[in-house]
Amino acid sequence: MIKIFISILLCFCLGTNCYQAHAQSDNTDSVLSILRAADKQGKIDTVLSNKINPLLRRNAMTDSTVQQIVEEANHFRTGDDEDMNFNICYLVLRVLSNRDNTTARAINFGKFLVNRIEKSKSPEKKYFIYRILSDMRSVYRNSTHLAEGIELYNNYLVRFRELNDSSGMATCYFVMGGFYRAIGLFDRAIYYCKKSMAYLDSSLQTGTTYFGSPKIEGRGVWVNNMGVLPEYYSIKGDYETSIKYAWLYLKLNKRNNNKDHPYGVQRMAQSYLRANRLDSALYFVQQAYDSCDASSLWVLPSIFQTWAVLELSKGNYGKADSLLVECWKIVRKINLSAFSAAGIIHPDYYRALIYAAQKNYAEAAGFLLSDIVRVRNLRNELLTDYKLLGEVYENLGDIGKSKEYYKAFISLQDSLLNDQNKYNAISFEAEQQMNDKELSISQLKNKNKIASLTRNFSLGMIALVLLLAGVVYYRYKVKQKANAVLEKTLANLRSTQSQLIQSEKMASLGELTAGIAHEIQNPLNFVNNFSEVSSELIDEMNAELNKGDIEEAKVISSDIKQNLEKINHHGNRAADIVKGMLQHSRSSSGVKEPTDINALADEYLRLAYHGLRAKDKTFNATMITDYDESIGNINIIPQDIGRVILNLINNAFYVVNEKSKQNIAGYEPTVKVASKRLSLPSGSQAERREGTKFAQGGLGGGSIEIKVSDNGGGIPQKIHDKIFQPLFTTKPTGQGTGLGLSLSYDIVKAHGGELKVETKEGEGSEFIIQLPLNTSANEK
């Protein structure tokens, strides 16, 4: 039944010249004859456009053909005929965009056409520019020129903002949303799509036609742009929002006979499918299929693909595969690109899923390799292809190719992260330019108003104004000199502060590096020792093999294998240490994440101790730990809190080391790190007061505390209130900057916590970090 329906649709379309991308022939002479006859008769109307449009769609459209048609169309470049010239060139661009959507030919022609139209005085030139910019999006999305496209449309955004052209801005924002979807930035795609809708007048109705085509504007464009939001939200995983927008789009996008358009119904099916609501998805996909006709053939591949995925999820592999085969037939017939108006069409990926589920991995690999070529510019789809291809080759036993595609998957992920920063920076700069220009315009208007008020001011006040101006000018010069002195002083202070902060960071880095070196030396010693032993065993095995003693050689080879396993084990230990240190030493992202605070504190305790030992072999101290295992994970920025803990532990080791140099009888330098989960206040009046204080300090939802204690010399009472002040230090010159505790205090405060100290001179100090406990980070 499906095949019969498709055949009828295709035949109907071919008969009515709806889609004939592959029936390419040379109709250039026919097109030129129609244009010459119209020029000779001076008859320019809708009929002319309707005659040449189907001929262009069937034409081979070589460079020579395009040049001939443009030259002939240039006869219509005077007066009202100029719009017909633009329309003919626009029809040529549409054919190039649909035909050559992976090359720069359509891009170059479109840019040439826009530049020419911008110089025109036609009242319709904006309409043509919007249409051209909208049609060029498909070429950029499906080619390797996406970065160039993002830059081009950002430039147009700035230009349209200067002209206060909201429709132009809406066009650019919508196209940019599609670009960001192509590279996998779904949040930014949603933002740009919604921004395009915000610049449109949704109350403006569409109904006029221009050269035989509906002139879509206002509400029509607003509804059309909304149609992509369901896909963006569903791919992001926000299924309820996706379904909400799909319902809204379906309601607004009715046909003239008040029947649902299959594109809107298909969006409903797709949203329900990704939300795993299969019954609803099946209902809507069948409804979309039933509502298709010749005018909506371009939606049918998306319908078949969605239907196939639905059948695949039910395990109906045969039906799913046949649906994808039919999908491919229409895709090839109408030359539908991977990223089209119908959505992302790549049936080979889903065919690969079918064959992989049936353990036919060789066929699955072939389909995936074909799909990689088709979606080479779509990051999200390419990632899934690489990942599945790695799994397929692993099942085929081809470990080399499996690693190759897993590596490509990881590389593409890294590339996506890099491009996120690059493309976001491009967009930010464009919006910043627009905002700067708006600010300049606003300032200019304000200046004009002030100037106007000044000119109209009473002439009788001139003398008083001049007197006041002299006084103001004198005071201004005095303040200007004072400000110059202050600015210079402030600049010097900032420079000094920056140098001190850098010094503090480098000191911490040196201590961490020494600790890492000590931690990693142990497994590396094992690796070296077992490598040397294995080399000797290989010599012995070769000697036994030369003697012909196979059994003894087997015993030696077994020993070699055990050594290799140990080398691998200790190599992994070293790799884990490096990985963990890189994780803790990387620049702070500023994003909180669930973190095991006990493990973090223990790791920095170890690193601080080994770091000091690496610098001073005579240094020794007893380390005591007491961790509350009920704490679990808490939401913090681990790099920042790690720096706080490291600073406090380093200070503790420093003071106990200094006290040990006094050779006090019976003194044993000791540093203790402990953690504890604090219960919510209840019961006694003292506990309630403490609870009130926690609530005022941002810890009302429960908290944890980390204590770093030492039995050093303690802090004298006279400097107790100064220790958290910037640049205050008790260490000798050159050994401390006085920023460690100050920065630590600010970091803890930024986390909504408190940093306190309890000390007794001559006996030691205890620094207490209190942080709010995020229960959602613990309850897994």
Side-chain angles (χ1 to χ4, degrees):
M1 185 64 186
I2 291 173
K3 292 182 178 180
I4 294 173
F5 175 71
I6 295 172
S7 299
I8 294 172
L9 277 179
L10 292 176
C11 290
F12 180 81
C13 290
L14 290 173
T16 57
N17 297 320
C18 187
Y19 285 103
Q20 301 177 14
H22 283 275
Q24 297 177 9
S25 60
D26 194 353
N27 297 298
T28 306
D29 290 340
S30 300
V31 174
L32 296 177
S33 296
I34 294 172
L35 291 175
R36 287 166 186 161
D39 182 33
K40 186 176 181 180
Q41 297 170 8
K43 188 177 182 181
I44 307 299
D45 55 18
T46 300
V47 176
L48 174 63
S49 178
N50 291 340
K51 282 182 180 179
I52 66 172
N53 194 17
L55 293 174
L56 288 174
R57 288 179 176 175
R58 293 198 301 269
N59 205 303
M61 298 303 288
T62 63
D63 290 340
S64 175
T65 298
V66 172
Q67 183 178 356
Q68 291 181 62
I69 295 172
V70 171
E71 288 177 354
E72 192 62 42
N74 283 344
H75 289 105
F76 307 108
R77 290 191 66 178
T78 58
D80 295 338
D81 296 351
E82 191 174 33
D83 288 348
M84 175 54 73
N85 171 265
F86 295 156
N87 190 62
I88 294 168
C89 293
Y90 168 70
L91 294 176
V92 172
L93 173 65
R94 290 205 68 180
V95 175
L96 290 177
S97 298
N98 291 329
R99 190 84 48 78
D100 302 324
N101 55 23
T102 60
T103 69
R105 202 157 70 110
I107 292 175
N108 293 333
F109 185 75
K111 289 162 72 174
F112 152 76
L113 192 54
V114 170
N115 290 334
R116 204 176 83 178
I117 294 174
E118 283 180 337
K119 299 174 184 177
S120 165
K121 295 181 180 180
S122 168
E124 298 292 344
K125 72 176 186 180
K126 286 186 178 181
Y127 172 66
F128 281 110
I129 291 173
Y130 303 155
R131 291 178 68 181
I132 292 168
L133 291 177
S134 181
D135 275 14
M136 285 173 64
R137 74 186 191 275
S138 176
V139 188
Y140 279 114
R141 293 188 312 204
N142 291 283
S143 70
T144 57
H145 303 276
L146 187 57
E148 176 191 333
I150 290 178
E151 184 176 1
L152 175 71
Y153 282 85
N154 268 317
N155 291 336
Y156 271 107
L157 270 176
V158 175
R159 191 183 307 176
F160 287 137
R161 175 66 67 88
E162 291 175 352
L163 298 172
N164 199 25
D165 186 345
S166 59
S167 296
M169 293 173 65
T171 301
C172 290
Y173 276 125
F174 178 69
V175 173
M176 292 282 288
F179 287 170
Y180 285 118
R181 186 263 176 262
I183 60 176
L185 303 181
F186 299 114
D187 285 327
R188 197 138 189 94
I190 292 170
Y191 168 75
Y192 269 69
C193 185
K194 287 186 173 180
K195 200 153 188 177
S196 75
M197 295 168 61
Y199 278 97
L200 292 167
D201 184 359
S202 60
S203 65
L204 183 62
Q205 295 295 328
T206 300
T208 59
T209 59
Y210 198 65
F211 291 116
S213 301
K215 191 174 180 181
I216 302 175
E217 54 189 354
R219 186 174 182 80
V221 180
W222 185 80
V223 173
N224 175 76
N225 293 6
M226 183 193 295
V228 302
L229 286 174
E231 183 194 7
Y232 292 172
Y233 274 109
S234 62
I235 294 178
K236 184 187 171 187
D238 190 348
Y239 304 120
E240 293 306 315
T241 305
S242 171
I243 292 171
K244 180 188 76 173
Y245 275 106
W247 271 111
L248 183 57
Y249 176 71
L250 186 63
K251 178 181 178 182
L252 295 173
N253 190 32
K254 293 283 186 179
R255 294 184 175 188
N256 292 334
N257 56 5
N258 209 34
K259 291 176 64 177
D260 291 327
H261 193 284
Y263 178 73
V265 185
Q266 153 64 10
R267 286 298 191 204
M268 289 294 302
Q270 197 175 59
S271 297
Y272 276 116
L273 175 61
R274 286 179 175 153
N276 201 32
R277 294 164 66 173
L278 303 185
D279 290 340
S280 297
L282 179 60
Y283 168 79
F284 282 107
V285 80
Q286 288 175 335
Q287 187 178 348
Y289 173 74
D290 291 339
S291 60
C292 265
D293 57 21
S295 65
S296 54
L297 183 64
W298 57 276
V299 188
L300 202 52
S302 182
I303 294 173
F304 281 148
Q305 181 174 280
T306 302
W307 201 341
V309 177
L310 178 61
E311 296 297 338
L312 172 60
S313 66
K314 296 180 177 180
N316 300 332
Y317 302 132
K319 186 172 181 180
D321 194 42
S322 65
L323 285 164
L324 292 171
V325 169
E326 299 304 328
C327 172
W328 254 124
K329 287 181 181 178
I330 303 175
V331 167
R332 292 191 177 99
K333 200 72 177 177
I334 64 176
N335 195 32
L336 198 64
S337 56
F339 192 170
S340 68
I344 307 298
I345 311 297
H346 61 135
D348 278 347
Y349 171 73
Y350 299 104
R351 297 195 75 186
L353 286 177
I354 293 170
Y355 283 93
Q358 296 174 320
K359 302 190 184 306
N360 190 345
Y361 299 114
E363 289 286 343
F367 284 121
L368 286 171
L369 292 172
S370 172
D371 197 57
I372 286 173
V373 175
R374 181 168 174 80
V375 301
R376 62 188 175 278
N377 212 40
L378 306 176
R379 298 291 180 84
N380 190 58
E381 286 65 33
L382 203 54
L383 278 171
T384 57
D385 278 344
Y386 282 150
K387 186 177 182 182
L388 183 57
L389 199 53
E391 295 173 3
V392 166
Y393 277 121
E394 186 177 355
N395 286 315
L396 285 171
D398 193 336
I399 303 302
K401 285 189 176 180
S402 176
K403 288 183 177 179
E404 175 187 343
Y405 284 103
Y406 277 129
K407 184 178 179 180
F409 171 77
I410 295 171
S411 176
L412 186 59
Q413 278 190 323
D414 294 340
S415 175
L416 177 58
L417 292 175
N418 292 333
D419 282 353
Q420 282 179 339
N421 297 330
K422 178 176 73 174
Y423 291 133
N424 282 344
I426 291 172
S427 297
F428 173 79
E429 289 171 3
E431 291 200 21
Q432 190 64 37
Q433 288 181 42
M434 291 188 286
N435 291 336
D436 289 344
K437 284 180 170 51
E438 279 190 343
L439 181 60
S440 298
I441 292 171
S442 176
Q443 289 175 341
L444 183 61
K445 289 180 178 178
N446 289 335
K447 287 180 180 179
N448 290 336
K449 288 180 180 179
I450 294 170
S452 177
L453 289 172
T454 304
R455 284 193 300 269
N456 296 328
F457 199 71
S458 174
L459 294 176
M461 299 295 292
I462 291 178
L464 180 59
V465 169
L466 289 175
L467 179 61
L468 291 174
V471 175
V472 169
Y473 178 78
Y474 173 76
R475 294 187 64 185
Y476 167 75
K477 294 299 291 184
V478 172
K479 287 186 177 181
Q480 192 177 45
K481 291 179 181 179
N483 287 340
V485 174
L486 288 173
E487 287 177 1
K488 184 177 180 180
T489 305
L490 181 60
N492 291 335
L493 285 173
R494 285 175 177 168
S495 175
T496 304
Q497 187 181 36
S498 298
Q499 293 172 9
L500 288 172
I501 291 174
Q502 183 64 23
S503 174
E504 186 77 14
K505 289 181 177 178
M506 293 304 295
S508 297
L509 179 61
E511 291 163 356
L512 271 174
T513 304
I516 293 170
H518 188 280
E519 281 289 296
I520 207 171
Q521 188 61 48
N522 190 33
L524 288 180
N525 286 339
F526 278 107
V527 170
N528 292 333
N529 292 338
F530 282 119
S531 297
E532 292 173 2
V533 171
S534 296
S535 179
E536 294 173 359
L537 287 175
I538 289 174
D539 293 336
E540 292 179 17
M541 183 176 71
N542 289 333
E544 295 300 329
L545 288 173
N546 291 333
K547 294 178 184 178
D549 192 344
I550 304 300
E551 293 302 317
E552 183 62 26
K554 288 181 178 180
V555 173
I556 295 173
S557 69
S558 176
D559 293 338
I560 293 172
K561 181 178 180 181
Q562 292 177 6
N563 285 353
L564 291 174
E565 290 173 351
K566 292 175 181 177
I567 289 172
N568 182 59
H569 169 72
H570 291 289
N572 286 334
R573 278 184 60 201
D576 289 341
I577 292 169
V578 172
K579 181 179 179 182
M581 294 309 100
L582 289 175
Q583 179 73 13
H584 289 305
S585 64
R586 74 177 191 265
S587 298
S588 171
S589 64
V591 178
K592 292 183 180 181
E593 55 187 75
T595 304
D596 187 341
I597 193 67
N598 291 338
L600 189 71
D602 193 66
E603 193 164 4
Y604 278 108
L605 174 64
R606 237 178 29 255
L607 285 175
Y609 179 77
H610 292 317
L612 290 173
R613 286 276 298 164
K615 290 193 298 185
D616 183 6
K617 299 297 183 183
T618 64
F619 171 76
N620 275 299
T622 301
M623 294 183 292
I624 301 174
T625 58
D626 182 16
Y627 300 125
D628 186 350
E629 298 299 332
S630 69
I631 294 175
N633 292 344
I634 65 171
N635 266 0
I636 59 171
I637 303 174
Q639 298 84 5
D640 291 350
I641 296 299
R643 292 188 183 110
V644 173
I645 295 174
L646 179 63
N647 179 262
L648 298 180
I649 293 173
N650 279 337
N651 288 346
F653 279 135
Y654 174 83
V655 296
V656 298
N657 189 37
E658 290 297 309
K659 188 172 182 179
S660 66
K661 293 177 182 178
Q662 300 174 16
N663 298 320
I664 301 172
Y667 176 72
E668 182 178 355
T670 303
V671 172
K672 179 179 179 181
V673 179
S675 66
K676 182 180 179 182
R677 179 172 183 156
L678 303 177
S679 59
L680 289 173
S682 62
S684 69
Q685 186 176 0
E687 289 176 323
R688 286 195 296 273
R689 283 199 303 270
E690 185 70 4
T692 301
K693 185 175 72 172
F694 277 9
Q696 293 171 349
L699 303 173
S703 64
I704 62 105
E705 67 177 17
I706 304 104
K707 294 183 178 180
V708 179
S709 310
D710 64 74
N711 62 345
I715 302 172
Q717 186 62 38
K718 63 181 179 179
I719 65 171
H720 185 277
D721 295 331
K722 299 179 181 180
I723 60 172
F724 294 115
Q725 293 178 4
L727 307 178
F728 179 83
T729 179
T730 59
K731 294 180 181 178
T733 304
Q735 294 189 28
T737 63
L739 290 171
L741 284 177
S742 173
L743 292 173
S744 298
Y745 186 84
D746 291 341
I747 290 171
V748 173
K749 279 293 184 181
H751 279 72
E754 294 181 8
L755 177 60
K756 302 184 293 187
V757 61
E758 295 178 1
T759 183
K760 192 169 183 180
E761 191 171 352
E763 295 184 12
S765 303
E766 183 177 74
F767 283 84
I768 305 168
I769 303 170
Q770 290 182 339
L771 295 171
L773 179 63
N774 188 330
T775 55
S776 62
N778 294 272
E779 296 172 5
K780 299 289 183 184

